[in-house]
């Protein structure tokens, strides 16, 4: 196979990979918008029993396989920038499912983010092939990453106090943690590949060490997927952009710090990476500012407090007054005989003295004869 055919196949597979990741992100975003907000084991059980979640998992797996196949036919410098098209594909797909149009601000934010991401990928590749992490370095990276991911994912808006802004900031934290976890999983995968080929620095590992690496990779990959699901509660575009930025950034930090890799073009590469980071950050800000936010849940109506004190006594009653205690000089108005036809005659025919025992009641004066 000549180089031209390999390049065409690599481009096509990269586009398939970007489409798979975009469809998976849209599916996760729709699932996050339609599902009640839960935490802990209840949220995990709800995901595992939802068919849309498993479709998102399958689409992510298909995108990853297409990306690996594209790297087999084309160079990293070609495949990695094309992977940034995930964001551009996800915007119209998400807007279509939400029955709305992509705004101009969202397109601008996507283009800024895409430009910054391409700039980062263009200079973060190794100038020379790097070595794999040793087993000790892998464990140190895994421990540090777990601590960092836990810190980023710990922020949580309480109730409705956080509002849409709180949910958005929390979503970007989860998105950053998701990208870092996925990037570290990729670096550990390279270490596992070297271990299986018995080319790991420090000698061939024991079987339990290889199994530990596989367990760490599974944990970080699964954690990255679950964290991205939590990130999409605050929208689609901005969390997806942050995931796509933090993933290669984490891999670049590991490569530069531990594998002896460096930015291309030397000092100019560092300047380009810094400028690209600012450009991408500008794009994320635009996507966060103009992205759709969830409608605030109206507060439950509360009963008005019953007024007390002088104000309550002076306020007019809604209905006519009802006397619940008999008075000393008149009949009780709450008796059935005090209302209805003939009430006045019955009242006038009754004695006007208070009800007293027979021994204390005074006899009426005898009529005086004329």
């Amino acid at each position: 196979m000549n180089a031209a055919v390999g390049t065409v196949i690599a481009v096509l597979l990269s586009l398939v990979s970007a489409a798979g990741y975009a469809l998976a992100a849209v599916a996760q975003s729709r699932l996050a918008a339609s599902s009640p907000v839960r935490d802990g084991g209840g949220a995990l059980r709800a995901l595992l029993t939802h068919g849309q979640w498993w479709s998102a998992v399958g689409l992510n797996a298909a995108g990853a396989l297409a990306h690996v196949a594209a790297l087999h036919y084309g160079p990293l410098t070609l495949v990695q920038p094309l992977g940034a098209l995930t964001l551009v594909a996800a915007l119209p797909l998400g807007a279509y499912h939400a029955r709305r149009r992509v705004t101009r601000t969202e397109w601008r934010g996507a283009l800024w983010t895409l430009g910054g991401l391409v700039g980062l990928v263009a200079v973060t590749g190794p100038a020379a092939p790097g070595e794999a992490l040793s087993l000790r370095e892998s464990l140190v990276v895994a421990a540090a990453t777990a601590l960092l991911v836990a810190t980023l994912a710990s922020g949580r808006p309480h109730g409705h106090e956080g509002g849409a802004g709180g949910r958005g900031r929390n979503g970007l934290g989860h998105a950053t943690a998701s990208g870092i976890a996925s990037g570290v999983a990729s670096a550990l995968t390279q270490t596992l590949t070297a271990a299986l080929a018995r080319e790991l620095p420090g000698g061939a590992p024991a079987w339990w060490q290889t199994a530990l690496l596989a367990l760490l990779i599974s944990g970080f990959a699964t954690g990255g997927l679950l964290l991205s699901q939590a990130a999409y509660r605050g929208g689609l575009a901005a969390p997806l952009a942050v995931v796509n930025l933090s993933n290669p950034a984490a891999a670049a930090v590991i490569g530069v710090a531990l594998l002896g890799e460096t930015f291309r073009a030397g000092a100019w590469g560092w300047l380009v990476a810094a400028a690209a980071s600012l450009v991408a950050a500008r794009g994320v800000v635009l996507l966060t500012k103009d992205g759709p936010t969830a409608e605030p849940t109206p507060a439950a109506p509360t009963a008005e407090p019953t007024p007390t004190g002088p104000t309550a006594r002076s306020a007019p009653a809604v209905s006519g007054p009802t006397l619940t205690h008999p008075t000393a000089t008149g009949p009780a108005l709450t008796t059935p005989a005090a209302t209805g036809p003939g009430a006045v005659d019955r009242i006038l025919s009754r004695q006007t003295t208070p009800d007293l025992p027979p021994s204390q009641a005074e006899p009426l004066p005898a009529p005086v004869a004329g």
Side-chain angles (χ1 to χ4, degrees):
M1 182 181 298
N2 57 38
V5 175
T7 301
V8 171
I9 295 177
V11 170
L12 292 177
L13 288 173
S14 298
L15 295 178
V16 170
S17 175
Y21 283 131
L23 289 171
V26 172
Q28 288 183 264
S29 177
R30 294 180 62 194
L31 179 59
S34 61
S35 301
V37 178
R38 298 177 182 176
D39 295 304
L44 183 58
R45 286 192 297 269
L47 285 178
L48 295 179
T49 57
H50 207 293
Q52 193 171 3
W53 162 254
W54 290 109
S55 66
V57 172
L59 289 169
N60 273 309
L65 291 176
H67 179 74
V68 172
L71 289 174
H72 177 73
Y73 289 100
L76 182 67
T77 54
L78 173 67
V79 174
Q80 285 293 93
L82 290 176
L85 295 176
T86 299
L87 178 61
V88 179
L91 272 180
L93 288 174
Y96 173 78
H97 285 289
R99 300 181 183 276
R100 66 178 185 87
R101 293 182 177 180
V102 182
T103 64
R104 295 179 61 182
T105 305
E106 285 179 316
W107 280 123
R108 287 172 53 206
L111 292 177
W112 277 80
T113 306
L114 182 62
L117 184 56
V118 171
L120 281 174
V121 172
V123 297
T124 52
E131 296 181 353
L133 295 173
S134 66
L135 182 62
R136 178 178 298 179
E137 290 172 338
S138 299
L139 295 178
V140 171
V141 168
T145 303
L147 181 61
L148 179 59
V149 166
T151 303
L152 291 171
S154 61
R156 181 185 307 168
H158 298 281
H160 300 289
E161 297 176 2
R167 285 191 296 271
R169 290 189 294 270
N170 192 51
L172 295 184
H174 282 97
T176 305
S178 173
I180 292 175
S182 300
V184 171
S186 299
L188 294 179
T189 301
Q190 183 184 15
T191 302
L192 179 62
T193 303
L196 294 175
R198 300 187 178 277
E199 296 177 357
L200 189 69
W207 67 268
W208 64 268
Q209 294 173 332
T210 304
L212 179 60
L213 283 175
L215 183 62
L216 290 174
I217 293 170
S218 301
F220 281 116
T222 304
L225 191 59
L226 294 175
L227 285 168
S228 66
Q229 178 64 45
Y232 292 136
R233 293 175 184 174
L236 171 64
L240 181 59
V242 172
V243 169
N244 287 336
L245 286 171
S246 55
N247 190 323
V253 169
I254 294 175
V256 172
L258 299 175
L259 299 180
E261 298 177 356
T262 183
F263 288 108
R264 294 189 179 95
W268 287 104
W270 287 91
L271 293 177
V272 171
S277 300
L278 294 177
V279 171
R282 169 64 176 169
V284 172
V285 169
L286 290 175
L287 292 173
T288 306
K289 185 181 301 183
D290 198 63
T293 56
E295 293 291 336
T297 304
T302 56
E304 296 182 359
T306 304
T308 57
T311 305
R313 290 192 296 270
S314 62
V318 177
S319 58
T322 302
L323 300 179
T324 57
H325 300 284
T327 60
T329 58
L333 299 182
T334 57
T335 59
T339 59
V344 177
D345 296 337
R346 286 193 294 272
I347 293 174
L348 293 178
S349 64
R350 295 176 59 182
Q351 62 181 14
T352 58
T353 58
D355 296 336
L356 296 174
S359 60
Q360 298 181 7
E362 297 180 0
L364 295 176
V368 180

